[in-house]
Amino acid sequence: MNVSSTSDIEITLWRTWALTVTHEACEYTEQKFNAEKTGGDPVIPSPKLDTDLVMACDRLVDRLIKAYKNPIQTQIDIARYSKLISLKDMGHHEEREEKLLERCPPGHEGTKLVEIPATMIDASSAIIAWYLPDALTDATQKEIWVASDLLTPMLKKSVKVDGNWRTNQGWFNPSSENDALTPGCINSSPAWFQQGHENQLDLEVSASLKGPSSEKILKAIARPAAIATAALRVMHPEQYWAGLRAFTKPRREGRKQGTAEDVRDSPVLGIGV
């Protein structure tokens, strides 16, 4: 077992879980980011991480550091704005959006072309966005394309004439033989929160990961997922630890098969495509 802890939580990960390797990559990424940010001692990666994954983490840290040192100031107060909006604000009510824009103007004039890593900060210097061009190594990009091919059958089925706001046919360009990737929208989360259902206690594997290709998909996205999660660890550590707690809880409580107990086979806290 691996025991990971922060100041107020302690989480146990079984060594056989794919998520354990992701966690090791995240630990290395955060430690290296903090060391380079403060001028600390060099960080040695865990021997459990393969060379390609270490190189991918190093590339990510390089772009994160460059972005952190290149803040773009805006005058918007993101905390005030978040208090003004509600769960019902979906961005489709023009009059409502105009009022919000009037009360919380973006605080800049015109447009600015950004071509290098950067962060956007609000009036209180809180980071509200990270821009990380070229953050993925060539090896990671190739793995993403290979994994994407496995998603083709599910992506084709996802688009519907009468679909919801995510899967409606009107939001996607028609697919052609020359397309590298089939248009579509799926949720491949190994711990889906059953919001809107009667039983909201059990986290459950999303429908896209219940098919015959689920194991192949999880293995194919292992390294790209680890990189995405490592970025989350640096950008939003509270969300990272909350996700890790949620994934390990069903295992500890002995949940039924088919729920988030399958997290042991997942390398990621959750992905939307």
Side-chain angles (χ1 to χ4, degrees):
M1 277 184 281
N2 282 350
V3 178
S4 301
S5 62
T6 62
S7 59
D8 59 345
I9 59 176
E10 186 173 285
I11 296 171
T12 300
L13 295 174
W14 296 93
R15 293 187 185 279
T16 53
W17 287 6
L19 188 58
T20 304
V21 175
T22 296
H23 181 61
E24 294 277 358
C26 293
E27 292 269 282
Y28 171 65
T29 300
E30 183 191 43
Q31 291 170 11
K32 187 175 177 67
F33 174 80
N34 289 333
E36 295 197 11
K37 184 176 68 173
T38 60
D41 296 331
V43 178
I44 306 301
S46 167
K48 300 172 187 174
L49 305 180
D50 62 59
T51 303
D52 283 342
L53 185 51
V54 172
M55 292 176 65
C57 291
D58 289 343
R59 169 76 71 87
L60 175 62
V61 170
D62 177 75
R63 300 308 186 269
L64 286 167
I65 285 293
K66 288 178 178 177
Y68 183 80
K69 293 181 178 180
N70 182 32
I72 299 174
Q73 182 74 58
T74 68
Q75 296 307 312
I76 189 172
D77 187 335
I78 201 67
R80 179 172 181 266
Y81 180 72
S82 65
K83 292 178 181 178
L84 292 175
I85 60 176
S86 71
L87 295 175
K88 295 181 180 180
D89 286 317
M90 304 297 291
H92 302 306
H93 195 297
E94 292 187 8
E95 185 178 344
R96 168 68 174 164
E97 291 300 308
E98 289 179 4
K99 289 182 178 180
L100 285 172
L101 187 61
E102 186 177 320
R103 295 186 67 180
C104 295
H108 64 80
E109 296 180 1
T111 59
K112 180 177 181 179
L113 178 63
V114 181
E115 298 181 295
I116 60 175
T119 54
M120 289 184 62
I121 60 176
D122 75 348
S124 64
S125 296
I127 297 176
I128 56 178
W130 295 72
Y131 177 57
L132 305 173
D134 200 30
L136 301 178
T137 62
D138 290 342
T140 303
Q141 293 182 49
K142 289 178 181 178
E143 288 181 329
I144 291 174
W145 281 114
V146 171
S148 298
D149 287 338
L150 296 174
L151 302 177
T152 298
M154 289 184 287
L155 288 169
K156 282 183 178 179
K157 293 180 181 178
S158 69
V159 179
K160 300 177 176 61
V161 175
D162 57 347
N164 60 28
W165 64 273
R166 291 173 298 163
T167 59
N168 192 288
Q169 193 177 59
W171 297 115
F172 300 92
N173 291 323
S175 180
S176 68
E177 294 182 358
N178 297 324
D179 288 339
L181 183 63
T182 301
C185 176
I186 62 173
N187 291 295
S188 53
S189 172
W192 188 260
F193 178 59
Q194 300 297 292
Q195 187 174 14
H197 294 260
E198 290 184 5
N199 183 7
Q200 295 186 7
L201 295 178
D202 288 337
L203 298 175
E204 189 171 346
V205 176
S206 61
S208 299
L209 283 183
K210 290 181 178 178
S213 302
S214 60
E215 186 175 349
K216 290 182 180 179
I217 292 172
L218 288 174
K219 288 181 179 179
I221 67 171
R223 188 176 289 110
I227 299 305
T229 310
L232 177 67
R233 174 70 176 267
V234 173
M235 298 176 186
H236 203 318
E238 294 87 356
Q239 186 174 338
Y240 172 85
W241 287 109
L244 210 56
R245 281 199 305 270
F247 269 45
T248 54
K249 184 178 179 181
R251 175 74 181 224
R252 292 197 309 269
E253 296 182 358
R255 302 280 179 164
K256 62 186 179 181
Q257 191 69 25
T259 63
E261 180 171 333
D262 296 321
V263 67
R264 64 181 183 276
D265 298 321
S266 171
V268 67
L269 294 183
I271 268 194
V273 181

